[in-house]
Amino acid sequence: MQHFQWNYPGWNQLSDTICPRYDYERITPFSQDANALNAQIAQMQPRAGTQIFMGMKWAAAMLDPAFNPVVNALVNSNDIDNAFSSRPAAFSDVETLKTVVLMTDGKNSSAQRIKSWAYDSPSDYYQWSRYNLWYYLYRNVNSYYRGNYYWWKYDAAQGDALLDNICDASKEAGIVIWSIGFEVDDHGANVMENCASSPSHFFRVEGIEISEAFDAIARQINQLRLTQ
């Protein structure tokens, strides 16, 4: 993955990269420590773009039994508790309920990559770790040539299609998906509702309603556990 920031239109110079680099952005793979999880969530800060399908991809992967070797490696390195060594459970395990809660405050956005000729040496890596892509282009490259530096990896429509594919595959495998659209527009709401296991598994909320949505999801998950 390339390490750079492309903050269009580059009015300010950001040293942030696309790849997560701060503690609050690190994925906590498996944890039973509610306090630690709440503390991590409380530290989160918005930046860069919105790639909902990437979040859903991670969620689905971490519920797939094929992820077990990764889990065991994390157990062996003492990064997660030994209680998780037999997880993820098989999709056929009747004692296990696999659920995903997917939340967004926007919709899938486009994503760029720097072309290989401008990202193929240590000096290139160092430059793009220091300069916002658009900041650099606007100040150092004629507008006619700026398009030579990057290409579009995803656009919004591709992101929506990828999310739809991942959600469909997850639901087919038996994963229950709850989705929350927080202050989203109609398009974002439709995308998130389509991902959910059913229309009743989708919550479109504003303001403090988001807390009510998470509470409702928690209650329903507990009810499903009890009935199963």
Side-chain angles (χ1 to χ4, degrees), residues 102 104 163-164 167 171 177-181 184 186-204:
L102 183 69
T104 187
L163 177 63
D164 189 53
C167 293
K171 288 180 282 190
I177 303 174
W178 308 84
S179 66
I180 301 174
V184 295
D186 289 343
H187 177 81
N190 290 335
V191 168
M192 293 297 284
E193 182 175 5
N194 189 55
C195 177
S197 288
S198 76
S200 64
H201 287 74
F202 167 67
F203 296 80
R204 185 176 185 177

Side-chain angles (χ1 to χ4, degrees), residues 84-183:
F84 296 100
S85 60
S86 61
R87 303 184 193 182
F91 285 118
S92 59
D93 185 354
V94 296
E95 299 296 323
T96 299
L97 174 66
K98 295 178 185 280
T99 66
V100 170
V101 180
L102 183 69
M103 189 273 287
T104 187
D105 63 351
K107 53 188 175 184
N108 284 306
S109 59
S110 57
Q112 297 170 321
R113 298 291 184 270
I114 298 173
K115 288 187 176 180
S116 58
W117 71 266
Y119 200 91
D120 63 357
S121 69
S123 61
D124 288 335
Y125 309 152
Y126 180 68
Q127 171 173 298
W128 300 123
S129 72
R130 295 177 61 236
Y131 289 104
N132 175 305
L133 173 62
W134 279 100
Y135 181 93
Y136 179 85
L137 295 182
Y138 265 65
R139 286 156 179 78
N140 298 282
V141 179
N142 183 287
S143 60
Y144 183 81
Y145 298 105
R146 290 171 189 163
N148 294 332
Y149 279 77
Y150 64 88
W151 59 284
W152 294 98
K153 174 70 172 177
Y154 304 108
D155 61 23
Q158 287 175 301
D160 290 346
L162 289 168
L163 177 63
D164 189 53
N165 291 342
I166 299 167
C167 293
D168 285 348
S170 299
K171 288 180 282 190
E172 186 176 345
I175 296 173
V176 179
I177 303 174
W178 308 84
S179 66
I180 301 174
F182 177 63
E183 299 183 354

Side-chain angles (χ1 to χ4, degrees), residues 32 87 93-99 176 178 201 216-228:
Q32 301 181 97
R87 303 184 193 182
D93 185 354
V94 296
E95 299 296 323
T96 299
L97 174 66
K98 295 178 185 280
T99 66
V176 179
W178 308 84
H201 287 74
I217 291 171
R219 288 194 301 270
Q220 294 180 66
I221 290 175
N222 281 331
Q223 290 173 0
L224 285 173
R225 290 174 59 198
L226 291 173
T227 55
Q228 287 193 352

